[in-house]
Amino acid sequence: MNEDEEGRKAREFSDEDLQDLVSSTDSGARNPRSRAVALLIAGLALFWALFQVWIAEPQFWFGELPFVKILGSEQTRPMHLALALALAFLAYPAAKTSPRDHVPLYDWALAILGAGTALYVFWLSDELARTARSGLPTDSQIWVGALGILILLEASRRSLGPALTVVAGVFIAYSYFGQGWLIPDLIAHQGRTFDSIINTQWLSTEGVFGIPLGVSTAFVFLFVLFGSLLDKAGAGNYFIQMAFAGLGHLRGGPAKAAVVGSAATGLISGSSIANVVTTGTFTIPLMKRVGFSSEKAGAVEVSSSVNGQIMPPVMGAAAFLMVEFIGISYLEVIKHAFIPAVISYIALVYIVHLEALKKDMPALGEARSLTSMLLKVFVGFAVAGVVFYAVIWAVGALRSVAPEIAPWVLFAAIAAIYLAALAVASKRPELELDDPKAKQVKLPVMGDVVPTGLHFLLPILVLVWFLMVERQSPAKSAFYAVLMMIAILITQKPIKALMRKQGSLAAALREGFNDLIDGMIAGARNMIGIAVATGAAGIIVATVTRTPIGTELAGLVEMLSGGNLFIMLVLVGLFSLILGLGLPTTANYIVVSSLMASVVVSLGAQEGLIVPLIAAHLFVFYFGIMADVTPPVGLASFAAAAVSGGDPIRTGFTAFFYSLRTVALPFLFIYNPALILYGIDLGTVAGLLMALKVFVVATFAMLLFAAATQGYFLARSRIWESAALLLVAFTLFVPNFWLDRVQPPYETLPGTDFEEVLEEAEPGSYLRLIVAGPDFTTGEMSQTTLVVDIDDTAPAQRLSDTGLFLMPESDRMLMDEPMPATEYSERLRSFDFYGGDPVEIVSVERPQDQMPREVFYIPALLLLAVVVMFQRRRQTKPAF
């Protein structure tokens, strides 16, 4: 064994070390020897899970009973945080050298004080509404709040690392001092008093107990619990085995299976680190076996696991936060996030395929065709879609014919399907993960794997049904999915025992209850860090809303970029990446969206680019999660290196290189929002066809981008060929970039024509206003772009409906401050309407006809044909 191999062997962690790594980051590494203490921690976690299920729906079932009090958000949020704080100090040691086999006295004290400060808000919510939340906090309330903030920051440090604690502490200091030699004049302010800061951050519903913690309480817990129960039932292993059965026989098959398996577990997981360790312990050794280096094997697992955080429906809890921050429905968030996530995963599978071609890697077992596998997947999805729509039609018909018995018929149908799936599964042995280090690796067969876990698909279908068909809230949908999982965990083993006529029914039933309890405890422990993160991140959100930093950060970015929009976006991406260092997905998104999302929108408007708010939020979210990949922090890269034995820094850089597609996507959907289906109505046939076209073209373009960055297409690429592939991919992604240079998209008219153009505009169209005026803070002239949508209001009424006040003056169209509480008053609040220089409408832009932008696909495809022609001469192996 050479020195390099010895080093890798020394870096490689044992299974116990890996589980300790996951528990240290996700659920707490403390494992008390005392049975009473262990039972107390487990009991608190179980109570937390039961409390969350209770407030999700059952409390309303018994709300009319005199002894049942309906708990509102002013009480559920403090209880949620109280349990999280208590468990944080009992489950997470203070430092690496702190005892793990018992709970020190100081941790007991912190757990009690932390829970007490949160329960203070729970018990005295009515009194706080009369005093602190009315601007009259008492001294005792202030001191309780100050203690609560300090304990929360310490809990954050323990469960999440120092990053969020430091950031939150800096924001509190900035809020208090307001100005100083470390604070740029652009964001300086007078400073807030100690009492007002504590009142905002702890006693009101703006800070710690604000929207982020509310989302954690109402939505996130149930989805994390659902994922935990699904994994405990055996679904995680089922997904991995399915991935290996379908992809293991291809070139680089273990890596492709790692990508698909991580995508499946990412659907229900909120932790990229847990995803890396869960799937990586099996996939990484197999990747190394077929020829991937330790660093590349780890990098593939990191890229696929981190990408799980952009995959709906959970998106590391960011999906639910976007609902609250943006003010759109949950289904809208899923709609906008779906295509970028899917094409990113498809591209990663292709990147792995190219790596296998470059190294001429063998397949595990008999080699199979990637094209035939993709065709089977397409047929499978098409058949599933037809069946799903048939079920929707059948349920609709049943409800119209027999509405009273419809719920009972549906319940009986689900029960029958469940029993039939178990009957099929009971005829086969239980799935077990093979040893990836065994001398002979036997890949699972799809026909043997699929029947063993069909019942795991039922709760996922229930979740999708309630979300997409019934249009219920995410909380209610997750509640019914959790109920389904509870039923499966309790009954699957006893029913299988009966069907197989072997084993004790009582033992199987007891095992099922134990699995349920273990799953609920695991789900609650996995929520500790998320709950603490959302509470601590609320400090940042409140500071942004109460100080100038939220509105003036755009000016700082504009100054650094010199007014160039692309450089502005690069800087915003870098800031998002830096702000996300060391933060879990949820806290990461809260921090970067609070600071940077509005910056993207306002800077785009200044340059004449109208950026949808959802695109801005997805932009900063994509860059924020890249912090899990990128050195020097890159927690997921360190976890993968611990599994592979590779160098963590090299693993991180390789993973970042593989993730370039995830870095490129945000820029693309900023310039072409159609990529996130913005403005496309999926309720019409035309909208569905447009979405299908966007998906196909974007997928093809992303595959070309991946080939360009990997330096391999049909053969190893020359530099000009890679550049040509990048150009083709860019043209397919953003054809309007070239079209706008050939045919301007707007007819520009003077601002004085606004009223006339507004009255002449057709309903359903829009106008763009270029508005210029002095900045309210700096006094310097600035510019922004407003969009005026034209509805079917009478032409003479349109101007008054906008809330804009115009003051025509010779050849200029001056403006007064818009009517308060209107869309444009918010958009123009950065302008000084009472300074020396007036605010004016510089010009009006009216859309004009252009040729179809798809025309530019023709030269792009011709250029692609040239690259293919040159590479075919050098091609030595099949491309797929």
Side-chain angles (χ1 to χ4, degrees):
M1 186 180 293
N2 61 39
E3 190 175 321
D4 185 51
E5 288 175 336
E6 287 178 0
R8 293 182 189 277
K9 199 71 179 173
R11 287 194 295 265
E12 197 168 339
F13 280 31
S14 66
D15 289 342
E16 292 77 13
D17 292 332
L18 291 172
Q19 291 308 314
D20 181 64
L21 176 65
V22 174
S23 63
S24 297
T25 55
D26 286 346
S27 60
R30 188 168 277 147
N31 187 18
R33 285 182 313 216
S34 168
R35 179 173 173 77
V37 175
L39 285 175
L40 174 64
I41 295 174
L44 276 175
L46 181 60
F47 172 76
W48 192 10
L50 293 172
F51 171 76
Q52 293 291 154
V53 173
W54 168 259
I55 65 172
E57 190 68 19
Q59 66 164 336
F60 299 106
W61 296 348
F62 308 101
E64 295 181 2
L65 297 177
F67 54 84
V68 176
K69 181 183 177 184
I70 302 295
L71 299 177
S73 61
E74 72 279 0
Q75 291 167 312
T76 56
R77 294 177 189 182
M79 176 62 79
H80 182 80
L81 185 62
L83 291 165
L85 289 174
L87 286 168
F89 290 106
L90 296 178
Y92 287 88
K96 290 182 180 179
T97 56
S98 300
R100 296 189 175 193
D101 57 356
H102 71 276
V103 181
L105 285 175
Y106 57 82
D107 278 351
W108 284 110
L110 287 171
I112 293 169
L113 286 171
T117 53
L119 288 174
Y120 179 87
V121 179
F122 172 83
W123 288 114
L124 300 177
S125 59
D126 291 339
E127 182 181 333
L128 289 171
R130 291 192 304 270
T131 55
R133 292 170 189 171
S134 298
L136 301 169
T138 65
D139 289 344
S140 60
Q141 290 170 351
I142 292 297
W143 288 115
V144 168
L147 181 62
I149 290 173
L150 289 174
I151 292 175
L152 173 62
L153 292 178
E154 168 58 14
S156 169
R157 184 196 66 80
R158 290 188 182 205
S159 56
L160 306 166
L164 182 57
T165 302
V166 170
V167 173
V170 167
F171 271 75
I172 290 175
Y174 163 70
S175 186
Y176 180 75
F177 292 106
Q179 50 195 311
W181 64 276
L182 286 174
I183 300 174
D185 291 339
L186 189 65
I187 59 172
H189 62 103
Q190 293 299 313
R192 304 184 65 215
T193 65
F194 177 80
D195 286 8
S196 65
I197 291 173
I198 302 301
N199 190 19
T200 300
Q201 300 290 5
W202 191 266
L203 303 175
S204 76
T205 55
E206 285 184 62
V208 172
F209 298 102
I211 287 175
L213 188 68
V215 170
S216 176
T217 307
F219 307 133
V220 180
F221 193 106
L222 286 174
F223 277 85
V224 171
L225 181 62
F226 174 67
S228 176
L229 295 177
L230 200 56
D231 186 59
K232 193 64 183 176
N237 180 29
Y238 178 67
F239 291 148
I240 293 172
Q241 294 275 34
M242 285 255 288
F244 269 88
L247 298 162
H249 294 279
L250 304 174
R251 284 180 181 268
K256 292 169 182 169
V259 175
V260 175
S262 293
T265 53
L267 291 172
I268 56 175
S269 170
S271 168
S272 52
I273 296 168
N275 202 340
V276 165
V277 173
T278 302
T279 58
T281 49
F282 185 64
T283 60
I284 287 175
L286 288 177
M287 281 190 263
K288 291 167 67 176
R289 175 173 290 201
V290 297
F292 282 88
S293 68
S294 297
E295 286 77 18
K296 286 191 175 181
V300 169
E301 185 59 53
V302 169
S303 301
S304 51
S305 295
V306 169
N307 256 43
Q309 308 305 293
I310 66 173
M311 194 74 182
V314 180
M315 297 169 64
F320 313 112
L321 289 159
M322 287 179 189
V323 170
E324 299 296 325
F325 289 166
I326 303 173
I328 61 177
S329 72
Y330 176 72
L331 281 179
E332 283 289 304
V333 173
I334 299 304
K335 164 189 165 182
H336 295 311
F338 184 72
I339 283 185
V342 171
I343 65 174
S344 183
Y345 263 113
I346 291 173
L348 184 56
V349 170
Y350 186 55
I351 285 172
V352 166
H353 180 70
L354 293 176
E355 284 284 359
L357 289 177
K358 283 193 285 188
K359 298 289 179 66
D360 202 17
M361 293 179 187
L364 283 175
E366 183 183 351
R368 294 181 184 172
S369 165
L370 176 63
T371 307
S372 64
M373 185 275 298
L374 291 174
L375 184 61
K376 289 177 183 177
V377 170
F378 176 77
V379 171
F381 271 108
V383 171
V386 170
V387 171
F388 189 69
Y389 276 99
V391 170
I392 293 174
W393 178 86
V395 171
L398 175 64
R399 285 175 172 168
S400 63
V401 173
E404 293 183 359
I405 65 168
W408 298 105
V409 173
L410 292 176
F411 178 79
I414 292 172
I417 294 170
Y418 174 57
L419 290 173
L422 286 182
V424 172
S426 65
K427 295 176 182 178
R428 289 170 171 77
E430 297 294 327
L431 288 179
E432 292 184 6
L433 276 176
D434 297 324
D435 181 7
K437 298 179 182 177
K439 291 184 178 179
Q440 202 76 19
V441 176
K442 184 180 179 183
L443 289 173
V445 178
M446 188 67 80
D448 295 335
V449 174
V450 172
T452 63
L454 289 173
H455 56 292
F456 294 138
L457 303 179
L458 271 177
I460 297 174
L461 290 174
V462 167
L463 178 65
V464 172
W465 180 272
F466 276 100
L467 279 173
M468 303 192 71
V469 180
E470 301 289 340
R471 298 296 179 103
Q472 298 289 341
S473 69
K476 193 170 185 178
S477 304
F479 168 74
Y480 285 115
V482 165
L483 281 190
M484 185 77 188
M485 277 312 310
I486 290 173
I488 288 175
L489 276 165
I490 293 173
T491 61
Q492 66 170 344
K493 289 182 177 178
I495 293 174
K496 281 183 182 178
L498 279 174
M499 290 177 170
R500 289 170 176 164
K501 297 179 181 179
Q502 62 183 29
S504 165
L505 182 63
L509 191 61
R510 187 166 54 250
E511 194 175 342
F513 271 106
N514 289 338
D515 286 345
L516 172 62
I517 291 171
D518 289 346
M520 296 191 91
I521 291 171
R525 291 191 64 153
N526 287 338
M527 269 300 299
I528 297 170
I530 296 175
V532 170
T534 51
I539 294 173
I540 297 164
V541 175
T543 304
V544 169
T545 58
R546 291 281 185 147
T547 62
I549 191 171
T551 56
E552 299 305 331
L553 201 58
L556 179 61
V557 175
E558 183 183 14
M559 180 182 69
L560 292 174
S561 66
N564 182 284
L565 181 59
F566 182 77
I567 296 176
M568 289 179 194
L569 291 173
V570 170
L571 287 174
V572 170
L574 288 174
F575 287 164
S576 301
L577 186 64
I578 293 167
L579 288 168
L581 290 176
L583 297 181
T585 303
T586 311
N588 172 326
Y589 169 68
I590 295 168
V591 173
V592 297
S593 65
S594 300
L595 288 171
M596 307 307 299
S598 61
V599 173
V600 174
V601 174
S602 60
L603 292 181
Q606 288 180 25
E607 295 298 309
L609 180 68
I610 304 302
V611 179
L613 191 54
I614 179 66
H617 277 258
L618 286 172
F619 182 92
V620 297
F621 176 59
Y622 270 51
F623 273 96
I625 64 167
M626 288 301 294
D628 262 357
V629 175
T630 314
V633 180
L635 299 177
S637 298
F638 277 83
V643 178
S644 69
D647 179 80
I649 301 298
R650 286 166 62 188
T651 299
F653 278 116
T654 306
F656 182 80
F657 186 65
Y658 286 162
S659 300
L660 282 176
R661 72 206 188 287
T662 309
V663 174
L665 273 170
F667 288 96
L668 296 170
F669 56 61
I670 287 290
Y671 284 101
N672 184 11
L675 288 174
I676 57 172
L677 300 183
Y678 185 80
I680 296 176
D681 183 5
L682 298 183
T684 64
V685 174
L688 287 173
L689 291 175
M690 177 61 72
L692 179 62
K693 175 205 158 192
V694 168
F695 175 72
V696 171
V697 173
T699 301
F700 184 58
M702 185 52 73
L703 295 181
L704 294 177
F705 178 84
T709 55
Q710 291 301 301
Y712 195 100
F713 186 34
L714 304 180
R716 289 190 181 275
S717 298
R718 299 190 172 107
I719 293 177
W720 75 266
E721 291 172 336
S722 293
L725 289 175
L726 282 176
L727 184 59
V728 173
F730 176 76
T731 302
L732 295 177
F733 271 124
V734 196
N736 50 295
F737 176 83
W738 306 111
L739 177 59
D740 291 349
R741 276 144 188 80
V742 175
Q743 285 184 321
Y746 301 104
E747 176 189 3
T748 303
L749 302 167
T752 51
D753 291 353
F754 173 50
E755 289 186 77
E756 180 183 347
V757 174
L758 182 64
E759 291 183 4
E760 293 174 352
E762 293 292 327
S765 63
Y766 67 94
L767 301 174
R768 288 161 48 109
L769 305 182
I770 311 301
V771 179
D775 185 88
F776 187 81
T777 305
T778 64
E780 296 179 1
M781 294 299 291
S782 63
Q783 182 173 291
T784 192
T785 303
L786 302 178
V787 175
V788 180
D789 292 310
I790 311 299
D791 56 23
D792 53 6
T793 306
Q797 185 68 24
R798 288 173 182 171
L799 180 59
S800 61
D801 285 354
T802 65
L804 297 173
F805 294 125
L806 306 181
M807 300 184 299
E809 184 180 289
S810 62
D811 60 345
R812 301 173 71 186
M813 181 62 78
L814 307 184
M815 298 178 68
D816 201 352
E817 188 171 13
M819 184 180 295
T822 61
E823 176 188 354
Y824 300 111
S825 68
E826 180 67 21
R827 295 290 306 276
L828 297 174
R829 66 177 182 175
S830 61
F831 287 101
D832 184 0
F833 285 89
Y834 305 101
D837 295 315
V839 178
E840 68 173 305
I841 298 176
V842 177
S843 60
V844 181
E845 294 183 340
R846 178 167 56 190
Q848 62 181 0
D849 292 335
Q850 292 179 292
M851 65 175 134
R853 60 184 180 178
E854 288 78 11
V855 167
F856 289 90
Y857 290 170
I858 297 172
L861 294 175
L862 288 174
L863 180 58
L864 176 62
V866 172
V867 174
V868 169
M869 182 181 66
F870 276 92
Q871 292 213 349
R872 282 294 297 271
R873 298 173 182 174
R874 308 194 304 274
Q875 185 178 0
T876 58
K877 55 181 78 73
F880 294 99

